[in-house]
Amino acid sequence: MRVLVTGGAGYIGSVASRMLAGEGHEVLVLDNLAKGHRRAVADLDLEVADLEDPSALSGVCSRFGPEACMHFAADSLVGESMADPLKYFRSNVAGSINLAAALVESGCRDMVFSSTAAVYGDAETVPITETHPKRPVNFYGLTKYMFEQALCALDRAGQLRCVCLRYFNAAGADTAADLGEDHHPETHLIPRVIAAALGSEPRAEVFGTDYPTTDGTCVRDYVHVLDLARAHVLACEHLQETGGSGIFNLGNGSGFSVRQVIETVRRVSGRNFEVVEGPRREGDPPALVASSDKIRDELGWRPEHPELESIVSSAWEWHSRHPNGYDS
Ligand code: UDP
């Protein structure tokens, strides 16, 4: 397959790009490098372009002629989306529409879209299935849901088939390819706790201890980045085999609390570090755990690294080797 990977220099996109290339597919990474890292795609073809530049997108699509597109490029910080919604409408909605238009114009018919569990908002039932009500509580989730709906319209019009993958919490690293998480600022739990274990942050922080969960801290479903990347490859193959559009959750189906994650980092790293308990972070639902039955049944996806211990171990290995991320 000839696959265009937007956001392919980012965390999940770089792992998926490497997996595709390793399996003999022709890959072109498109990234504006605002958050992505050139070093993460050093051995792949890279086109530096922005989704908000429709003529650049048309040029790339007509030159490369993709048979499928994996669309990872997005703004994804919940807090920022609440403070600057226009930025999120421009990048995640308008930018994605520009991309869809360029793909359709160039004759590409298949897209795998990175969506999010944030489309659901507060969980009414756990585990969450794909039919759970969609009531995003932040503008990041709203913009992802809006583009999902645009894709459903394009599918109905016979212009673009699409698999939307609603991720729960992406975590871990591809230690064989030496690819991992490197965000500025880093907001995610596992890398922040690891930074405390490495001594690059003074302490780890627990955001809220009064949630209605077993130990009072938030519960999340952590999925290994290699398992996420595998799901994208399966989804792409499914579309190319004209399997039809679909929307799927991607999670492990088991939840871990913030305290359990901190304990796992302590065990895996063998380091002790200070932990402070603080107030809740605005917009955090108490528990988000996926039902991934649909993607198991329809695409045959199974997580190969479901244990929190192996997810945290791979992240620990990557961050220990790269304490300053790709600049290390
Ligand atoms: N969290 C925390 N301390 C941190 C970072 C995150 O307690 O330093 C909590 C956060 O409130 C949430 C969970 O860890 O309940 C997972 O947060 P993350 O940002 O990794 O992912 P999210 O679920 O927000 O996408």
Side-chain angles (χ1 to χ4, degrees):
M1 273 183 287
R2 227 170 16 257
V3 189
L4 179 69
V5 185
T6 76
Y11 172 42
I12 309 167
S14 61
V15 176
S17 297
R18 192 67 64 88
M19 189 176 278
L20 280 168
E23 292 176 11
H25 300 294
E26 200 181 329
V27 175
L28 176 63
V29 170
L30 185 144
D31 202 297
N32 66 4
L33 297 181
K35 296 178 298 271
H37 305 277
R38 200 179 276 277
R39 286 186 188 156
V41 286
D43 54 352
L44 298 175
D45 291 333
L46 168 68
E47 185 80 41
V48 181
D50 199 290
L51 293 184
E52 290 174 49
D53 182 349
S55 63
L57 297 179
S58 292
V60 169
C61 289
S62 70
R63 280 193 303 278
F64 182 60
E67 290 162 289
C69 173
M70 287 187 185
H71 178 29
F72 294 95
D75 284 313
S76 58
L77 298 176
V78 167
E80 185 185 55
S81 78
M82 301 309 283
D84 190 359
L86 270 179
K87 176 175 179 177
Y88 280 68
F89 286 108
R90 282 199 192 99
S91 53
N92 294 356
V93 184
S96 296
I97 301 277
N98 291 339
L99 173 68
L103 291 170
V104 169
E105 188 185 276
S106 73
C108 177
R109 289 286 170 270
D110 293 340
M111 180 192 277
V112 181
F113 173 54
S114 303
S115 189
T116 168
V119 302
Y120 296 115
D122 291 335
E124 291 174 10
T125 48
V126 176
I128 298 172
T129 62
E130 290 80 357
T131 55
H132 183 284
K134 267 62 76 184
R135 297 198 193 96
V137 292
N138 55 61
F139 298 134
Y140 163 63
L142 176 65
T143 56
K144 287 283 184 174
Y145 189 50
M146 288 170 75
F147 188 60
E148 276 193 8
Q149 294 191 305
L151 287 171
C152 290
L154 293 175
D155 178 56
R156 272 183 60 179
Q159 295 184 316
L160 202 60
R161 289 178 301 232
C162 183
V163 169
C164 298
L165 297 174
R166 292 179 180 154
Y167 312 162
F168 283 64
N169 290 60
D174 179 349
T175 50
D178 208 20
L179 299 170
E181 201 165 359
D182 181 7
H183 297 121
H184 301 277
E186 186 52 80
T187 61
H188 293 122
L189 178 65
I190 293 177
R192 280 170 60 90
V193 177
I194 286 178
L198 284 170
S200 44
E201 288 294 332
R203 61 192 67 83
E205 252 182 289
V206 179
F207 297 151
T209 52
D210 60 347
Y211 285 98
T213 57
T214 45
D215 67 15
T217 66
C218 285
V219 169
R220 294 289 182 273
D221 183 336
Y222 296 90
V223 198
H224 200 295
V225 67
L226 282 169
D227 287 326
L228 286 179
R230 170 62 52 208
H232 285 76
V233 176
L234 285 176
C236 230
E237 290 168 353
H238 163 87
L239 287 170
Q240 292 277 296
E241 288 154 13
T242 63
S245 297
I247 295 180
F248 302 96
N249 284 342
L250 260 187
N252 272 320
S254 45
F256 294 94
S257 71
V258 171
R259 287 193 213 277
Q260 285 175 307
V261 169
I262 292 173
E263 269 326 297
T264 309
V265 173
R266 278 213 171 100
R267 211 170 37 248
V268 162
S269 66
R271 308 258 178 110
N272 209 354
F273 47 89
E274 189 190 349
V275 177
V276 292
E277 297 185 348
R280 292 182 177 198
R281 186 173 70 176
E282 201 197 341
D284 276 339
L288 289 175
V289 180
S291 159
S292 296
D293 292 352
K294 189 175 175 212
I295 192 164
R296 286 172 195 243
D297 295 346
E298 294 185 25
L299 301 191
W301 176 82
R302 298 264 180 298
E304 285 171 25
H305 312 277
E307 310 82 20
L308 185 61
E309 187 105 5
S310 71
I311 294 172
V312 169
S313 297
S314 69
W316 170 251
E317 191 179 328
W318 197 82
H319 289 287
S320 312
R321 248 193 266 152
H322 301 276
N324 298 311
Y326 284 97
D327 291 336
S328 306

